[in-house]
Amino acid sequence: MTAALDLRPALPALIVAVTALVVLLAQAFAPKGKHGPYLGFSLLGLGTALVATLLIASSKERGRGGNLGGALVADELALFLEVALLGVGVLAVLLSSSYLRATGSERGEHY
């Protein structure tokens, strides 16, 4: 009997990937000369992934442990590193937005 596949530990990474696609599509459909809401989309996606990670970390058993033969693990170290990387991502987005506006290079791929 096979165990059910639980992809909840992958949810934060999936949220970040979908956010990246949304930001790039926002740039693709933005009118020429107009800036899209890249900063807002980026912060919303990173914040949502951070909340999802914290929810996984606060749960007793759901979304924790190993899946896919141990390739997908949500133990304490993995969750700590994920929170740290998402925090650095939020800081990078916040600190780079004024520079990108000043240099005129605010485009979706920078976020």
Side-chain angles (χ1 to χ4, degrees):
M1 186 147 67
T2 61
L5 184 62
D6 185 14
L7 292 178
R8 280 177 282 195
L11 185 62
L14 293 173
I15 290 171
V16 171
V18 168
T19 300
L21 290 174
V22 167
V23 169
L24 288 175
L25 286 174
Q27 177 192 355
F29 292 109
K32 290 271 186 197
K34 297 265 183 174
H35 295 291
Y38 312 127
L39 176 68
F41 283 160
S42 297
L43 290 177
L44 180 68
L46 290 172
T48 304
L50 188 60
V51 168
T53 303
L54 294 175
L55 287 175
I56 291 170
S58 67
S59 68
K60 294 286 185 203
E61 304 241 350
R62 295 183 356 217
R64 298 192 79 168
N67 281 317
L68 300 174
L72 182 62
V73 177
D75 59 359
E76 285 78 17
L77 178 63
L79 292 170
F80 170 76
L81 291 175
E82 193 158 4
V83 167
L85 287 173
L86 288 170
V88 168
V90 168
L91 283 175
V93 167
L94 287 173
L95 292 175
S96 67
S97 65
S98 61
Y99 172 77
L100 292 173
R101 283 191 190 121
T103 59
S105 62
E106 184 180 28
R107 293 188 300 268
E109 64 263 12
H110 290 292
Y111 289 98

